Amino acid sequence: MSQNADQHYIEAVINGDTRAFSVLVDRYKYMVFTLAVKILKSQEEAEEVSQDVFVKAYTALSTFKGDAKFSTWLYKIAYYQSLDYLKKQKRTLNTSSIDSDTEFHLASAENALDSLEADERKLAIKSAIDTLAPDDAVVITLHYFEELSLKEIADIMKLEANTVKVRLFRSRKRLALLLKNKLEPEILATYGRK
Amino acid sequence: MEENKELDDFIRRSIKATGLENPSIDFTDSVLSKIKLANEQESVMVAKPLFSKTTWFLILAAVVAVFSYVFMAKSTAESTWLAAIELNKLTSFNLSLYIPELYSSSAFVYGSIAITLFVWIQVFLLQQRLHKSDALG
């Protein structure tokens, strides 16, 4: 989404038009909610936290300088609001300890996916992402879905760009392996039914 | 390198295919009503100062005026009603002549100090606790 398209609504909100904020909410609620789900692993909690993210963004909108994209600024709030929620619940963010030398075979993961129906495939990928550590799921979602650069992700998560790069590399491998392991038994079961 | 690129494409395609999570249908309305509520609370909570800036200025002006009058009009304000109060008597006044002697044991003194100390610590702890619950609420 272009920054100019957001800027018009941001200015309207700052000038007192609360309704204009609903356009921004509608535009970004899916990504904010997805990030919260990835971290909190609960739809109900993610719903509550996401709503608070937008309320917080609304009250702090006048401090948004426009140096970064509005979306990046918002995702940063979402990320930290979710972490704060975990902290209040006395839960911690599980980070992964992935062996980067884990063996995987792309072809087998891809073949496994191809043999599934579209809906099943979607579900399989989704549950594989859910198995990732929250931080890795966030990195993967921001990079592959939102197409954010490593620098932008680093800015959101307050990490070094290089750290994000390593995490992305590992998560990618891990995800492929998870998909392969997850799908192979299902495919065998499908063959069994045929 | 080639495999990395393939893996990258594969993950991208897979992630895009799953789409994003969907929040509840009334998500936007809930956010807007929360904002409305926050705005209302904010307007209720705006505290009006007990003294306005003008009142403070008038008080300051009055204090300055009184002090300046006292210093400037020193010579003319002597030997009138102030002398009639006989403030100089106060210097020779000894309170201990009028009240019976108070005796307190050292146990009483230590006890009083300990109680004062405990009350003070409790006030401090309660204050901390209230602040904490305010911050959470």
Side-chain angles (χ1 to χ4, degrees):
Chain A
M1 198 57 66
S2 81
Q3 181 61 24
N4 284 345
D6 290 339
Q7 199 56 41
H8 167 75
Y9 293 103
I10 293 168
E11 276 162 24
V13 175
I14 292 173
N15 292 328
D17 180 6
T18 314
R19 296 301 307 178
F21 195 63
S22 64
V23 179
L24 296 171
V25 176
D26 281 335
R27 197 171 277 175
Y28 293 108
K29 64 182 176 187
Y30 300 101
M31 190 41 124
V32 166
F33 181 66
T34 305
L35 290 179
V37 169
K38 299 283 176 242
I39 297 170
L40 302 169
K41 308 274 184 205
S42 150
Q43 300 264 336
E44 290 76 24
E45 289 173 330
E47 174 96 10
E48 191 192 327
V49 169
S50 310
Q51 287 180 5
D52 290 344
V53 167
F54 282 105
V55 175
K56 202 166 189 177
Y58 176 84
T59 48
L61 202 58
S62 53
T63 64
F64 171 63
K65 299 279 187 289
D67 305 336
K69 283 193 281 188
F70 173 71
S71 56
T72 318
W73 181 74
L74 192 63
Y75 300 156
K76 200 176 196 172
I77 298 178
Y79 182 66
Y80 281 97
Q81 187 85 0
S82 304
L83 291 190
D84 275 355
Y85 185 87
L86 282 183
K87 203 172 160 191
K88 272 188 192 170
Q89 303 281 313
K90 303 209 187 313
R91 278 148 62 189
T92 49
L93 189 71
N94 296 322
T95 45
S96 61
S97 55
I98 305 159
D99 178 7
S100 57
D101 294 329
T102 317
E103 277 300 313
F104 74 99
H105 298 286
L106 177 61
S108 54
E110 239 178 331
N111 288 342
L113 271 184
D114 284 345
S115 60
L116 291 176
E117 297 290 324
D119 279 353
E120 284 178 317
R121 196 183 310 168
K122 232 166 121 173
L123 212 68
I125 298 166
K126 202 172 155 299
S127 66
I129 299 172
D130 288 345
T131 334
L132 286 177
D135 255 3
D136 294 340
V138 168
V139 171
I140 287 270
T141 311
L142 287 175
H143 185 70
Y144 287 111
F145 205 95
E146 195 65 7
E147 305 273 352
L148 292 190
S149 67
L150 295 178
K151 197 181 165 296
E152 284 171 317
I153 300 173
D155 182 44
I156 290 171
M157 301 175 79
K158 286 192 187 159
L159 294 170
E160 291 291 318
N162 257 340
T163 315
V164 176
K165 195 177 174 183
V166 171
R167 194 165 276 186
L168 189 66
F169 177 75
R170 288 178 177 178
S171 316
R172 203 161 52 193
K173 269 186 161 184
R174 169 92 171 148
L175 194 58
L177 190 75
L178 278 170
L179 280 172
K180 181 179 165 276
N181 290 344
K182 201 168 190 65
L183 295 173
E184 269 179 355
E186 284 180 32
I187 292 160
L188 287 176
T190 320
Y191 282 140
R193 283 204 299 273
K194 276 178 187 168
Chain B
M1 203 63 190
E2 186 59 31
E3 190 160 28
N4 264 342
K5 175 85 181 67
E6 276 176 28
L7 181 61
D8 197 55
D9 287 343
F10 166 66
I11 300 287
R12 179 168 283 111
R13 264 183 287 126
S14 305
I15 304 273
K16 294 250 177 184
T18 55
L20 292 172
E21 304 275 350
N22 285 319
S24 65
I25 305 163
D26 59 348
F27 184 88
T28 309
D29 290 333
S30 305
V31 170
L32 292 183
S33 55
K34 272 191 178 181
I35 287 173
K36 204 174 156 209
L37 196 74
N39 278 344
E40 279 168 9
Q41 275 177 346
E42 202 176 320
S43 60
V44 168
M45 280 168 68
V46 170
K48 235 179 147 188
L50 206 56
F51 294 109
S52 67
K53 275 187 181 166
T54 328
T55 319
W56 275 120
F57 180 75
L58 287 175
I59 292 172
L60 185 76
V63 170
V64 170
V66 167
F67 272 86
S68 344
Y69 176 76
V70 169
F71 284 112
M72 310 272 269
K74 199 170 154 192
S75 54
T76 55
E78 260 176 85
S79 71
T80 49
W81 56 269
L82 201 62
I85 304 175
E86 295 176 326
L87 283 173
N88 55 342
K89 274 191 176 174
L90 281 177
T91 51
S92 56
F93 177 76
N94 193 350
L95 188 68
S96 58
L97 293 177
Y98 298 91
I99 53 171
E101 195 175 339
L102 283 176
Y103 173 75
S104 48
S105 69
S106 52
F108 177 78
V109 172
Y110 291 138
S112 308
I113 291 172
I115 286 174
T116 315
L117 204 66
F118 284 133
V119 167
W120 186 76
I121 289 170
Q122 200 166 8
V123 166
F124 179 73
L125 288 177
L126 279 174
Q127 201 180 24
Q128 291 253 317
R129 205 186 156 132
L130 279 173
H131 273 232
K132 225 176 199 173
S133 67
D134 272 359
L136 287 175

mmCIF file with all atom_site columns, all heavy atoms in Angstrom, chain A residues 50 80 107 121 171 174:
data_model
loop_
_atom_site.group_PDB
_atom_site.id
_atom_site.type_symbol
_atom_site.label_atom_id
_atom_site.label_alt_id
_atom_site.label_comp_id
_atom_site.label_asym_id
_atom_site.label_entity_id
_atom_site.label_seq_id
_atom_site.pdbx_PDB_ins_code
_atom_site.Cartn_x
_atom_site.Cartn_y
_atom_site.Cartn_z
_atom_site.occupancy
_atom_site.B_iso_or_equiv
_atom_site.pdbx_formal_charge
_atom_site.auth_seq_id
_atom_site.auth_comp_id
_atom_site.auth_asym_id
_atom_site.auth_atom_id
_atom_site.pdbx_PDB_model_num
ATOM 1  N N   . SER A 1 50  ? -4.999 -6.853  19.044 1.00 0.00 ? 50  SER A N   1
ATOM 2  C CA  . SER A 1 50  ? -5.020 -6.099  17.781 1.00 0.00 ? 50  SER A CA  1
ATOM 3  C C   . SER A 1 50  ? -5.878 -4.848  17.906 1.00 0.00 ? 50  SER A C   1
ATOM 4  O O   . SER A 1 50  ? -5.533 -3.794  17.374 1.00 0.00 ? 50  SER A O   1
ATOM 5  C CB  . SER A 1 50  ? -5.576 -6.944  16.638 1.00 0.00 ? 50  SER A CB  1
ATOM 6  O OG  . SER A 1 50  ? -4.939 -8.165  16.590 1.00 0.00 ? 50  SER A OG  1
ATOM 7  N N   . TYR A 1 80  ? 5.239  -5.145  19.603 1.00 0.00 ? 80  TYR A N   1
ATOM 8  C CA  . TYR A 1 80  ? 5.541  -4.863  21.007 1.00 0.00 ? 80  TYR A CA  1
ATOM 9  C C   . TYR A 1 80  ? 4.315  -4.970  21.911 1.00 0.00 ? 80  TYR A C   1
ATOM 10 O O   . TYR A 1 80  ? 4.427  -5.341  23.077 1.00 0.00 ? 80  TYR A O   1
ATOM 11 C CB  . TYR A 1 80  ? 6.248  -3.515  21.149 1.00 0.00 ? 80  TYR A CB  1
ATOM 12 C CG  . TYR A 1 80  ? 7.696  -3.703  20.788 1.00 0.00 ? 80  TYR A CG  1
ATOM 13 C CD1 . TYR A 1 80  ? 8.160  -3.413  19.517 1.00 0.00 ? 80  TYR A CD1 1
ATOM 14 C CD2 . TYR A 1 80  ? 8.564  -4.287  21.695 1.00 0.00 ? 80  TYR A CD2 1
ATOM 15 C CE1 . TYR A 1 80  ? 9.470  -3.666  19.160 1.00 0.00 ? 80  TYR A CE1 1
ATOM 16 C CE2 . TYR A 1 80  ? 9.871  -4.542  21.358 1.00 0.00 ? 80  TYR A CE2 1
ATOM 17 C CZ  . TYR A 1 80  ? 10.332 -4.236  20.094 1.00 0.00 ? 80  TYR A CZ  1
ATOM 18 O OH  . TYR A 1 80  ? 11.613 -4.504  19.737 1.00 0.00 ? 80  TYR A OH  1
ATOM 19 N N   . ALA A 1 107 ? 12.438 -30.839 -3.195 1.00 0.00 ? 107 ALA A N   1
ATOM 20 C CA  . ALA A 1 107 ? 11.592 -31.549 -4.150 1.00 0.00 ? 107 ALA A CA  1
ATOM 21 C C   . ALA A 1 107 ? 10.536 -32.388 -3.439 1.00 0.00 ? 107 ALA A C   1
ATOM 22 O O   . ALA A 1 107 ? 9.364  -32.356 -3.810 1.00 0.00 ? 107 ALA A O   1
ATOM 23 C CB  . ALA A 1 107 ? 12.459 -32.435 -5.039 1.00 0.00 ? 107 ALA A CB  1
ATOM 24 N N   . ARG A 1 121 ? -3.904 -28.189 1.401  1.00 0.00 ? 121 ARG A N   1
ATOM 25 C CA  . ARG A 1 121 ? -2.559 -27.640 1.263  1.00 0.00 ? 121 ARG A CA  1
ATOM 26 C C   . ARG A 1 121 ? -2.420 -26.378 2.131  1.00 0.00 ? 121 ARG A C   1
ATOM 27 O O   . ARG A 1 121 ? -1.455 -26.196 2.856  1.00 0.00 ? 121 ARG A O   1
ATOM 28 C CB  . ARG A 1 121 ? -2.338 -27.288 -0.206 1.00 0.00 ? 121 ARG A CB  1
ATOM 29 C CG  . ARG A 1 121 ? -0.882 -27.068 -0.561 1.00 0.00 ? 121 ARG A CG  1
ATOM 30 C CD  . ARG A 1 121 ? -0.739 -26.658 -1.993 1.00 0.00 ? 121 ARG A CD  1
ATOM 31 N NE  . ARG A 1 121 ? -1.466 -27.545 -2.911 1.00 0.00 ? 121 ARG A NE  1
ATOM 32 C CZ  . ARG A 1 121 ? -1.681 -27.270 -4.192 1.00 0.00 ? 121 ARG A CZ  1
ATOM 33 N NH1 . ARG A 1 121 ? -1.265 -26.125 -4.695 1.00 0.00 ? 121 ARG A NH1 1
ATOM 34 N NH2 . ARG A 1 121 ? -2.329 -28.101 -4.965 1.00 0.00 ? 121 ARG A NH2 1
ATOM 35 N N   . SER A 1 171 ? 14.539 -20.179 9.260  1.00 0.00 ? 171 SER A N   1
ATOM 36 C CA  . SER A 1 171 ? 13.100 -20.437 9.309  1.00 0.00 ? 171 SER A CA  1
ATOM 37 C C   . SER A 1 171 ? 12.613 -21.053 8.007  1.00 0.00 ? 171 SER A C   1
ATOM 38 O O   . SER A 1 171 ? 11.730 -21.905 7.997  1.00 0.00 ? 171 SER A O   1
ATOM 39 C CB  . SER A 1 171 ? 12.319 -19.154 9.547  1.00 0.00 ? 171 SER A CB  1
ATOM 40 O OG  . SER A 1 171 ? 12.899 -18.393 10.521 1.00 0.00 ? 171 SER A OG  1
ATOM 41 N N   . ARG A 1 174 ? 13.613 -24.617 8.016  1.00 0.00 ? 174 ARG A N   1
ATOM 42 C CA  . ARG A 1 174 ? 12.818 -25.298 9.030  1.00 0.00 ? 174 ARG A CA  1
ATOM 43 C C   . ARG A 1 174 ? 11.396 -25.542 8.512  1.00 0.00 ? 174 ARG A C   1
ATOM 44 O O   . ARG A 1 174 ? 10.832 -26.614 8.701  1.00 0.00 ? 174 ARG A O   1
ATOM 45 C CB  . ARG A 1 174 ? 12.800 -24.415 10.282 1.00 0.00 ? 174 ARG A CB  1
ATOM 46 C CG  . ARG A 1 174 ? 11.825 -24.812 11.331 1.00 0.00 ? 174 ARG A CG  1
ATOM 47 C CD  . ARG A 1 174 ? 12.467 -25.729 12.319 1.00 0.00 ? 174 ARG A CD  1
ATOM 48 N NE  . ARG A 1 174 ? 11.621 -25.966 13.464 1.00 0.00 ? 174 ARG A NE  1
ATOM 49 C CZ  . ARG A 1 174 ? 11.614 -27.091 14.141 1.00 0.00 ? 174 ARG A CZ  1
ATOM 50 N NH1 . ARG A 1 174 ? 12.419 -28.060 13.796 1.00 0.00 ? 174 ARG A NH1 1
ATOM 51 N NH2 . ARG A 1 174 ? 10.832 -27.252 15.169 1.00 0.00 ? 174 ARG A NH2 1
#
